[in-house]
Amino acid sequence: MSIRINQEACVGCLKCIKVCPGSLIKEKDKKAYIKYPKDCWGCVSCVKECKFDAIDFYLGADIGGNASTMNVTYEGDILHWKIKKSDGTVKTIDVFSKDSNKY
Amino acid sequence: MSKKLEHIVITTDVLIIGGGTAGCFAALTLSKNSNLNVVVAEKANVKRSGCLAAGVNAINAYIIEGRKPEDYVDYATKDAAGIVRHDLLLTAARKFNATTKVMEQLGLVILKDENGKYVARGNRNIKINGENFKPILTKAVEEAKRVTILNNLNITDLLVENNEAMGAIGFHISHEKVYEIRAQKVLVATGGAAGLYKPNNPGFSRHKMWYPPFNTGAGYAMGILAGAEMTSFEMRFIALRCKDTIAPTGTIAQGVGAKQVNSRGDVYEEKYGITTSERVYGTVKENQLGNGPCYLQTSKIEKEKDEELLKAYLNMAPSQTLKWIESGKNPSEQDVEIAGTEPYIVGGHTASGYWVNTKRETTIKGLYAAGDVAGGCPQKYVTGALAEGEIAALDIIDKFDATKSIQTNSSFVSKKMKEYEDILYNQSDFFTVEELEEAMQKVMDEYAGGISTHYQFNEKQLKLADEKIDQIRQMTKHVRANDMHELMFVYELKERLTVCKSVIAHLLHRKETRWHSFNENLDYPNTDEGYFKYINSILVNDELKIIVRDIIKEADYEHTN
């Protein structure tokens, strides 16, 4: 359970550093990096904050992860969640933020 | 070598420690209803800090049509086998709906039927899109007049003179600065304590837990050390969760009606009872009987519900959605394995926390507590945290005395500053915080009723736990922090160890088993009506003194002794 920050995609806006509820992301060479990967709660606050598709969220092998990653981008009130599976397939789920949970 | 930290003094009217749900709502209430200046000290950043970082998809404490606040009190009382404060539950329950309304006005999306009425989930819940609950609340606080938010400020200690709050002291987690904040009224809203026990996933995913791993019991610890009375630390909370991801089960159990079944397909929940603790206990027992693993039987739901369930989890626990998709099977194609978590101390679910009067003032004058750090009011959840923030804020406005001056103790402040500096440049760094945290969690797991002992313990084990925790506390002298963030880690460890001591003392004094799993004492396996009492404690000369109090029936409770 943690995140990976793609150093190529990171533009150094550092918004993720601010929002992490554990302050686990730090700055190095004008880019964000996860300094304490084992301390991540998996809340994906940073993933939601990143507008540059630079942060991926994944499940650790100890909780059954098999190298798929997930991130989210916004388009107005729509959240596009994208799951890249390890076999290369991609699944997207769109959530309209004005819709309530049905269950 | 020693490093000098910069000393910054801030004077305000009201200090709120912790910018989570309760703290933010208190700040908002103070801003709307008074001219008092407010400082919110938050160790991370208020935007997503606290319990609602990932979101929440139901309001779990709501008075639905046809029900009364008194019904809620009855439910919470039964669930906790009577060890609750009716005055606290009722005053919170009366505000559940009004605080929900405020959140809706701020932009929270709530599910409505064709007549514009909220759609209930069960008897006490309504459905929302709470992915952005915390950012919505935070935005309002940021725009509120006379409220200053200090992010990345980690408070370690209260400033108390003659049993009256005068402020608090802490440090910035990236700059070498100590903040002494002087205030006439202080509200503690730091949440409960996670990370005391060895977690479900002790390795790489050690923080994939139910409760925020960043809620380290800071508010409990600073209250205990300042001599505040605490209640019900023996009423631990253990959540029944989706295994591995530790995601919530309510959405599948209540939301789509999936039953709790063992590996033989038998529905076992009725066999053990349906209180919160009995649901955990039943799952433990079924595993012990060889009937595990246990599941929520989502394979019986209609396929059409899959997509909405995947979305529901994205709004509060995205790891579960990822897990379903990674596995290649939707909820309707496989049951969800469930497990009990490690025990937590959390006043929003069980009753552990500060002993407060009806207005949420603690036994230290001018010090208030709201949300998970406040005791006596279990099952308060998010709306209860909002309600308590409001109740405390309104009493602060009522009691504020503009003519009064604040006297902080400069020798205590200097002593604290030196303590921070000594840890930063400690020559003795035999152990790391991580090593001592692991040691603490192992002791609590094995001797104070953790997962590995099926949450059970006896007195001999508890006494051993107490000795071992003392030894680990001694070892914290041999820990060094290399920067301000690491200094926070050191204090988080110390806080947890302080809370562990209280948990053990309370478990030792409730010589009965009132709640399965939450307090399963093998020396006293039955409920004893002689213990239909509150177990409270107060630290006197470094020793925890236990105070046994009668159950309070009055509608309005004030501290007298």
Side-chain angles (χ1 to χ4, degrees):
Chain A
M1 171 63 50
S2 198
I3 56 152
R4 286 176 189 213
I5 303 179
N6 177 346
Q7 295 294 307
E8 313 262 286
C10 177
V11 301
C13 77
L14 312 179
K15 282 188 176 171
C16 55
I17 293 181
K18 261 188 161 179
V19 79
C20 173
S23 312
L24 308 175
I25 307 171
K26 303 288 179 193
E27 183 186 351
K28 193 161 68 181
D29 303 330
K30 300 202 166 138
K31 305 257 183 185
Y33 79 106
I34 172 95
K35 187 170 179 187
Y36 305 102
K38 285 167 77 176
D39 289 343
C40 174
W41 189 25
C43 71
V44 307
S45 297
C46 56
V47 180
K48 289 172 186 166
E49 206 70 20
C50 181
K51 303 285 178 273
F52 304 94
D53 225 2
I55 310 182
D56 281 327
F57 161 72
Y58 68 101
L59 303 181
D62 59 337
I63 56 170
N66 62 14
S68 304
T69 62
M70 180 190 236
N71 70 18
V72 62
T73 47
Y74 287 81
E75 198 177 323
D77 287 328
I78 298 168
L79 281 78
H80 299 295
W81 292 85
K82 187 169 72 182
I83 295 108
K84 282 178 269 183
K85 293 178 72 170
S86 48
D87 61 9
T89 57
V90 174
K91 179 177 171 72
T92 55
I93 303 176
D94 290 343
V95 179
F96 183 48
S97 64
K98 304 287 180 201
D99 276 350
S100 167
N101 156 45
K102 303 288 184 295
Y103 304 119
Chain B
M1 189 181 98
S2 80
K3 173 87 185 175
K4 286 280 168 227
L5 296 170
E6 189 184 342
H7 180 195
I8 293 165
V9 178
I10 293 174
T11 303
T12 184
D13 296 325
V14 185
L15 168 64
I16 298 174
I17 308 173
T21 317
C24 281
F25 206 75
L28 210 53
T29 307
L30 285 160
S31 175
K32 275 188 201 163
N33 297 285
S34 78
N35 290 315
L36 298 175
N37 291 308
V38 180
V39 168
V40 180
E42 162 59 49
K43 73 174 172 179
N45 181 293
V46 290
K47 185 167 183 184
R48 294 261 182 193
S49 63
C51 294
L52 302 182
V56 54
N57 70 12
I59 295 286
N60 289 313
Y62 192 82
I63 311 303
I64 64 166
E65 206 166 276
R67 303 253 170 182
K68 304 186 299 291
E70 286 78 3
D71 298 330
Y72 198 89
V73 177
D74 286 347
Y75 154 71
T77 305
K78 285 196 187 91
D79 205 73
I83 311 300
V84 299
R85 286 268 302 276
H86 291 108
D87 60 322
L88 300 178
L89 281 167
L90 190 60
T91 48
R94 282 182 176 148
K95 285 182 182 285
F96 288 163
N97 294 18
T99 53
T100 302
K101 197 72 187 166
V102 174
M103 288 307 303
E104 189 177 28
Q105 283 158 357
L106 293 177
L108 182 69
V109 173
I110 305 178
L111 188 64
K112 289 179 178 155
D113 63 16
E114 58 276 16
N115 301 317
K117 288 188 174 160
Y118 297 157
V119 178
R121 179 177 99 182
N123 296 326
R124 296 169 291 274
N125 320 41
I126 54 171
K127 302 168 189 181
I128 63 171
N129 181 333
E131 182 282 314
N132 55 359
F133 192 114
K134 188 71 200 305
I136 287 172
L137 178 57
T138 306
K139 188 166 175 280
V141 177
E142 281 169 344
E143 290 166 0
K145 290 197 175 90
R146 296 171 298 278
V147 176
T148 307
I149 298 167
L150 298 177
N151 287 314
N152 296 134
L153 173 51
N154 184 57
I155 298 291
T156 63
D157 290 83
L158 297 165
L159 300 174
V160 175
E161 285 304 304
N162 301 320
N163 202 43
E164 186 165 355
M166 299 286 162
I169 184 167
F171 52 83
H172 197 278
I173 70 159
S174 359
H175 309 305
E176 292 176 346
K177 290 176 181 171
V178 172
Y179 284 78
E180 177 190 346
I181 305 179
R182 298 173 184 168
Q184 189 187 119
K185 303 287 178 199
V186 178
L187 171 65
V188 185
T190 49
L196 308 177
Y197 285 80
K198 186 173 163 186
N200 291 86
N201 309 307
F204 179 76
S205 301
R206 63 190 183 187
H207 274 184
K208 190 59 242 164
M209 51 176 61
W210 165 72
Y211 201 58
F214 318 114
N215 285 15
T216 52
Y220 294 141
M222 62 182 85
I224 292 165
L225 297 176
E229 186 170 334
M230 296 285 167
T231 190
S232 306
F233 272 48
E234 77 284 6
M235 198 195 293
R236 306 176 302 166
F237 182 69
I238 299 157
L240 190 66
R241 303 292 273 193
C242 303
K243 194 172 177 295
D244 296 330
T245 59
I246 319 296
T249 50
T251 304
I252 30 188
Q254 295 165 304
V256 299
K259 296 277 182 210
Q260 243 173 274
V261 294
N262 63 24
S263 63
R264 300 172 208 278
D266 303 328
V267 177
Y268 64 85
E269 54 196 40
E270 287 90 1
K271 204 165 134 191
Y272 300 95
I274 54 160
T275 66
T276 312
S277 67
E278 286 163 348
R279 283 177 180 275
V280 174
Y281 176 71
T283 306
V284 171
K285 285 307 263 188
E286 287 298 308
N287 276 301
Q288 283 180 303
L289 290 168
N291 296 333
C294 295
Y295 299 92
L296 277 167
Q297 203 171 23
T298 51
S299 60
K300 299 272 185 193
I301 68 169
E302 300 86 4
K303 204 169 172 32
E304 296 71 54
K305 291 186 172 166
D306 281 336
E307 200 68 18
E308 281 302 326
L309 264 184
L310 293 177
K311 286 185 187 176
Y313 275 87
L314 284 174
N315 284 341
M316 61 169 177
S319 50
Q320 183 61 31
T321 305
L322 180 54
K323 179 126 180 136
W324 271 315
I325 292 169
E326 268 197 323
S327 72
K329 283 183 180 175
N330 280 322
S332 69
E333 293 165 324
Q334 61 180 336
D335 293 333
V336 175
E337 193 178 339
I338 50 174
T341 63
E342 74 276 19
Y344 306 92
I345 299 299
V346 51
H349 287 250
T350 46
S352 319
Y354 280 86
W355 182 247
V356 291
N357 68 12
T358 311
K359 307 284 193 193
R360 273 59 175 183
E361 189 175 9
T362 72
T363 55
I364 294 174
K365 208 168 166 242
L367 179 72
Y368 291 75
D372 284 347
V373 85
C377 187
Q379 318 265 8
K380 73 180 92 152
Y381 304 125
V382 177
T383 37
L386 300 172
E388 290 197 324
E390 183 175 294
I391 293 167
L394 293 175
D395 198 55
I396 285 171
I397 295 168
D398 201 33
K399 304 268 169 67
F400 192 83
D401 179 356
T403 63
K404 211 162 152 182
S405 66
I406 305 156
Q407 293 295 323
T408 55
N409 180 334
S410 60
S411 71
F412 181 81
V413 170
S414 324
K415 200 182 99 190
K416 268 295 142 189
M417 284 191 64
K418 181 161 187 319
E419 189 181 290
Y420 301 154
E421 286 162 355
D422 287 350
I423 296 168
L424 276 168
Y425 294 92
N426 196 348
Q427 291 306 301
S428 172
D429 62 345
F430 200 90
F431 292 118
T432 64
V433 168
E434 196 168 356
E435 285 163 359
L436 294 186
E437 183 178 295
E438 191 183 350
M440 169 190 69
Q441 292 180 343
K442 181 169 185 278
V443 167
M444 295 302 285
D445 180 61
E446 292 174 357
Y447 298 104
I451 294 170
S452 74
T453 59
H454 314 291
Y455 309 119
Q456 299 168 322
F457 51 82
N458 65 21
E459 280 188 4
K460 283 203 177 75
Q461 289 167 323
L462 288 176
K463 284 178 180 160
L464 263 174
D466 195 51
E467 263 177 44
K468 288 170 190 285
I469 292 294
D470 275 339
Q471 188 192 327
I472 298 167
R473 286 182 98 190
Q474 290 298 319
M475 291 307 104
T476 59
K477 285 182 199 141
H478 304 292
V479 170
R480 179 167 69 204
N482 293 307
D483 58 32
M484 299 305 279
H485 194 115
E486 286 189 17
L487 186 60
M488 176 171 76
F489 287 155
V490 174
Y491 278 89
E492 288 177 337
L493 171 69
K494 284 168 170 272
E495 286 152 10
R496 285 177 164 132
L497 287 163
T498 301
V499 177
C500 286
K501 286 283 290 179
S502 290
V503 173
I504 295 164
H506 279 243
L507 289 172
L508 270 168
H509 277 82
R510 185 171 287 285
K511 297 182 192 299
E512 63 161 354
T513 294
R514 183 159 289 262
W515 315 281
H516 280 304
S517 300
F518 291 7
N519 176 32
E520 189 96 32
N521 190 328
L522 294 174
D523 289 330
Y524 308 97
N526 301 313
T527 302
D528 173 355
E529 278 319 295
Y531 280 94
F532 181 58
K533 307 258 187 197
Y534 307 107
I535 305 290
N536 290 5
S537 64
I538 185 163
L539 192 70
V540 182
N541 299 326
D542 219 25
E543 287 289 321
L544 279 165
K545 187 180 129 199
I546 296 291
I547 302 164
V548 178
R549 290 190 183 271
D550 289 337
I551 298 297
I552 288 164
K553 305 255 166 43
E554 302 95 297
D556 195 30
Y557 174 77
E558 188 51 84
H559 301 302
T560 49
N561 55 356

